Amino acid sequence: MVDTTSLTRAVDHFADRLRAAPQSRLQRGAAAEALGLARELARWAQRIEEPGTEPREMPDAGMFAAADQITVAVHDLAVVLSDDGQVDDAVRLVAEAQKRAGV
C-alpha cells in the first residue's frame, strides 16, 4: 500500500482555503478551478478502477460544494494509487490548481 498522506494533506489544505474564501473569489474562478481538479482526479480514479470504460463526469454541484468535491475525488483516487510517483503527480496537480485558483 502506498502512502498518500501528502496527497490528502494537500487537498485538505486546498479545500480549507476554498471554504474560507469569499464568495467573490469563488465566483472569479476558484470554484471552477476546484471543480476542474475534482473532475480530473475522478476520471483518473475511474480509469484505474474501470479500465476500458468511459469515465463518468463529476457534476457541477455549485461553487459552495467545490471544496467537498475535490475532497471526495482525491480520497477516491488515494485508494487506488499504486506507487509513489502517482502520488507525487497528484500532489503536483493539486498544488497547480490551488495556485491557479488563487487561494
Side-chain angles (χ1 to χ4, degrees):
M1 179 175 248
V2 64
D3 182 8
T4 59
T5 304
S6 60
L7 176 56
T8 55
R9 280 187 183 156
V11 87
D12 287 346
H13 181 260
F14 186 12
D16 288 345
R17 300 294 298 157
L18 287 167
R19 289 183 186 104
Q23 182 174 346
S24 61
R25 173 75 46 100
L26 297 174
Q27 290 172 323
R28 285 194 309 262
E33 187 64 48
L35 177 60
L37 174 65
R39 287 176 170 169
E40 184 174 359
L41 297 174
R43 282 190 301 270
W44 187 356
Q46 289 175 53
R47 284 192 305 270
I48 293 170
E49 290 181 313
E50 301 169 357
T53 62
E54 186 67 29
R56 298 165 305 281
E57 184 169 293
M58 181 176 282
D60 183 346
M63 72 177 136
F64 297 113
D68 295 329
Q69 288 183 287
I70 62 170
T71 301
V72 167
V74 88
H75 285 279
D76 287 349
L77 179 61
V79 172
V80 297
L81 293 179
S82 59
D83 66 57
D84 292 334
Q86 290 176 323
V87 174
D88 293 342
D89 289 344
V91 168
R92 182 181 39 75
L93 288 175
V94 171
E96 290 169 356
Q98 183 173 356
K99 184 176 180 179
R100 287 190 302 270
V103 294

